Amino acid sequence: MGFFNELEDRVVGAPSILAADFAHLADEVRRARDGGAEMVHFDVMDNHFVPNLTVGPAVAASLAAATDLPINVHLQVTSPDNLIPAFAEAGVASICVHPEIVTHLHRTLELIETSGCEAGVALSPTTPPEAIKWALPHLDFVIVMSVDPGFGGQSFIPEMVDKVRRLRGMVGFPIAVDGGIDAYTAPVMVEAGARVLIAGSAVYRGDPAVEMRKIITAGRAATA
Ligand code: DX5
Ligand code: ZN
């Protein structure tokens, strides 16, 4: 089981810690949780696959001890296999990798699964849905990136709505969306088939509880 396997058709929100104040990470997550967040999205960047550099397993372990929300690790790194056991050991719930950079995706997904975490892929904007066709039996979720990976606060790429719609027809597991998600783009993505709304700057630019709640409410209204 696990977070994604038990989600069914619910629409949920997740703050992306990339936009949070890293000096007060546990508090920042708590504030988004007060607004209804059910998962934490944890962006890991290596200054190689993407130009940015963030945090690793030590910070994930500290956060896992400080929150009861499941941690979803988004590995934006060139060599994810080196990090997967350490993140699993840190107590995270799910891990996703980018098929654009992983050489042996099947092996990497098996590694995530045998580490005891739910396994996913994150698709960069120009990666076609069909890229994961032969990986489907090994996936618990997919993240459609609606910005290029690497930074928060970028503009939403509207073509990604069609990509979510196409994936919806291909997969039975939950589709998450990441990048430029706010109270305006969330309902459009939910209408197309997304169920997990990951948002960074839109949550942390104001009161995280209020902003998280706005995004979840707008997303849920699109299923009504
Ligand atoms: C970008 C990250 C996102 C990022 C989204 O590489 O994967 O999780 O935090 O930021 P916003 O919500 O500001 O677009
Ligand atoms: Zn992310």
Side-chain angles (χ1 to χ4, degrees):
M1 287 324 255
F3 179 80
F4 288 101
N5 276 284
E6 288 164 32
L7 195 60
E8 296 179 342
D9 202 35
R10 291 192 320 113
V11 172
V12 294
S16 169
I17 59 155
L18 190 60
D21 178 349
F22 277 85
H24 302 279
L25 200 48
D27 278 341
E28 293 278 76
V29 168
R30 202 170 299 122
R31 292 164 78 201
R33 188 185 189 286
D34 288 345
E38 293 182 47
M39 185 185 89
V40 187
H41 182 76
F42 193 98
D43 281 299
V44 180
M45 304 182 180
D46 67 347
N47 179 35
H48 194 186
F49 174 57
V50 294
N52 207 349
L53 184 67
T54 61
V55 285
V59 177
S62 296
L63 185 60
T67 182
D68 58 359
L69 293 184
I71 299 176
N72 167 240
V73 173
H74 180 186
L75 289 178
Q76 291 147 93
V77 303
T78 304
S79 303
D81 293 9
N82 297 336
L83 291 168
I84 288 163
F87 275 108
E89 185 67 23
V92 309
S94 57
I95 300 176
C96 66
V97 295
H98 274 265
E100 304 88 4
I101 192 73
V102 173
T103 315
H104 306 294
L105 182 61
H106 180 267
R107 180 177 294 150
T108 298
L109 293 174
E110 272 194 336
L111 179 59
I112 297 172
E113 195 194 339
T114 56
S115 302
C117 297
E118 290 189 293
V121 288
L123 303 179
S124 291
T126 60
T127 304
E130 290 72 22
I132 60 169
K133 186 173 173 207
W134 295 99
L136 294 180
H138 308 283
L139 294 174
D140 299 298
F141 65 99
V142 58
I143 293 181
V144 173
M145 291 213 63
S146 31
V147 299
D148 286 301
F151 298 98
Q154 303 177 83
S155 299
F156 180 80
I157 302 171
E159 302 90 273
M160 297 304 106
V161 178
D162 268 348
K163 187 152 143 189
V164 169
R165 197 167 286 126
R166 176 100 72 95
L167 269 165
R168 181 70 287 157
M170 272 177 67
V171 308
F173 45 74
I175 300 172
V177 285
D178 181 17
I181 300 301
D182 59 21
Y184 300 98
T185 55
V188 181
M189 289 302 229
V190 168
E191 197 280 329
R195 289 296 177 267
V196 181
L197 302 166
I198 297 164
S201 48
V203 169
Y204 289 105
R205 71 179 159 216
D207 177 329
V210 172
E211 301 304 325
M212 186 82 261
R213 176 68 66 198
K214 273 191 210 163
I215 293 167
I216 295 168
T217 304
R220 287 187 180 158
T223 60

